[in-house]
Amino acid sequence: MPFISKDWRSPGEEWVKTQEGWEKKKVLECTAQRSGDGEEGDKSTNEAVSRIPPHCHITIKCTREIAGFNGLSEAVRRLDFSSAVRDVRRFNYICALLELLLHGQRLTHLPGAAQKLLLSMLEQLADQVAQSQQNLNALRALLSGVSALREAERRSCWGRPLGSRALWGHHDHAIARIHHIASAIRIQEPGPEVVPKLHDLPEECIRDILLRLADHRDLDAASSAWSVMSSVCSEQRIWRELVSFHFTNQQIDAAVAKIKEDDKEVEWKKIFHHLRKLYGLREEAQFAETLSLCRHCRCLFWRSLGHPCIADQCPEYRERLREAGGPLPPSPVPPAAFLKFFSL
């Protein structure tokens, strides 16, 4: 497979998606002077740029011939994480990324720009939770984590964290704002005009809803919320479907054979927790959408939005791909793999 450098685009050019496909367009610089009809020019330029899906070219491996680096702040801006927070499909991905930054990296070990970026993303997430009144537990878990991390830094340095006072003052104000947003959230019950309510649904509909949950914690929370859900969650079918979703047939057969040695009756809830502790859960099943890495143009992008790729536009490259048995499918990039691209 021939190597294609990440800088395959010409300066001043971008790929714009049209009805016929991706086309190469000239992109005006942000500092360009306005002409007499500047408002119309700016409007057309903004429309052209807005049609470009968020993507970010990265350096996979630095060598003597290819010198480069990846900036976390620049990648977050180019991948439009601000809009991703407001997308229900990508919300859990952003939460997992923030959790890794909070718990996997100590706050003082991150660069100052990464610290500001982390708190800015957390504040945007808090605003989204307040507006949608969903995922309140995820916000509280992240907020308790950043507060505990801040207190740990203070205790380790005799009441004053290491680093710039101005930077930590900015952090304190940001955390206080996020606390204020979280404390002001009030989950309101739907009014009497909203029908039918969950309690009015038949048991078959409740069972169908629970069968679509991929997280065992949601099942435990549902069973403690309502007696009908508790009875449905105790059924063997719910946990059997959850086991088959997360684990392979070989893993399931081995666990069933081992449990049958001790117990005559197979309890699928017990098998699920045994396999979960042994193998862990499918990471890709936790997110409705993840970032992807194009193996042709070395570009990170959201799969549902796509990206301008050389494999779609260059006839010569497409021909070489066909001869090599391509094109290659994009690789999913979970949150932990995303952070490995950066020097944190």
Side-chain angles (χ1 to χ4, degrees), residues 60-236:
I60 302 295
K61 185 178 181 181
C62 290
T63 63
R64 293 180 179 178
E65 294 78 13
I66 304 173
F69 63 94
N70 304 314
L72 179 61
S73 303
E74 182 69 11
V76 168
R77 183 185 67 81
R78 288 183 174 273
L79 292 169
D80 197 12
F81 275 37
S82 299
S83 298
V85 170
R86 296 190 292 271
D87 190 336
V88 66
R89 297 170 300 176
R90 292 177 274 175
F91 182 87
N92 289 334
Y93 189 94
I94 304 300
C95 288
L97 184 64
L98 289 173
E99 185 177 358
L100 287 174
L101 285 171
L102 287 175
H103 301 288
Q105 304 277 348
R106 294 188 65 84
L107 197 58
T108 53
H109 293 175
L110 297 175
Q115 296 177 22
K116 288 185 177 181
L117 177 67
L118 185 152
L119 294 176
S120 175
M121 291 173 58
L122 187 56
E123 189 170 357
Q124 294 173 6
L125 187 143
D127 288 332
Q128 174 61 21
V129 171
Q131 294 175 11
S132 64
Q133 295 192 349
Q134 298 176 3
N135 301 297
L136 184 57
N137 290 336
L139 173 61
R140 287 173 176 169
L142 291 172
L143 192 53
S144 63
V146 73
S147 299
L149 194 58
R150 179 184 59 171
E151 294 301 324
E153 292 295 341
R154 285 179 173 175
R155 289 195 301 269
S156 64
C157 303
W158 298 283
R160 182 174 298 172
L162 291 174
S164 169
R165 281 192 179 185
L167 181 63
W168 279 99
H170 173 273
H171 294 348
D172 287 334
H173 288 305
I175 294 173
R177 288 195 306 270
I178 300 170
H179 270 293
H180 178 72
I181 295 172
S183 60
I185 298 175
R186 298 291 182 271
I187 305 298
Q188 298 180 357
E189 184 179 352
E193 70 280 358
V194 180
V195 289
K197 291 184 170 56
L198 185 63
H199 292 73
D200 301 329
L201 297 177
E203 184 176 325
E204 290 78 11
C205 293
I206 300 298
R207 183 177 293 104
D208 192 69
I209 292 172
L210 294 178
L211 283 170
R212 298 174 186 273
L213 298 178
D215 194 333
H216 67 283
R217 295 171 296 183
D218 293 335
L219 291 176
D220 294 334
S223 62
S224 62
W226 187 23
S227 58
V228 175
M229 283 188 171
S230 178
S231 63
V232 174
C233 289
S234 62
E235 295 177 357
Q236 293 282 357

Side-chain angles (χ1 to χ4, degrees), residues 255-267:
V256 170
K258 183 175 182 180
I259 290 180
K260 276 187 175 181
E261 295 177 358
D262 302 329
D263 301 330
K264 294 181 180 180
E265 185 178 355
V266 175
E267 294 184 12

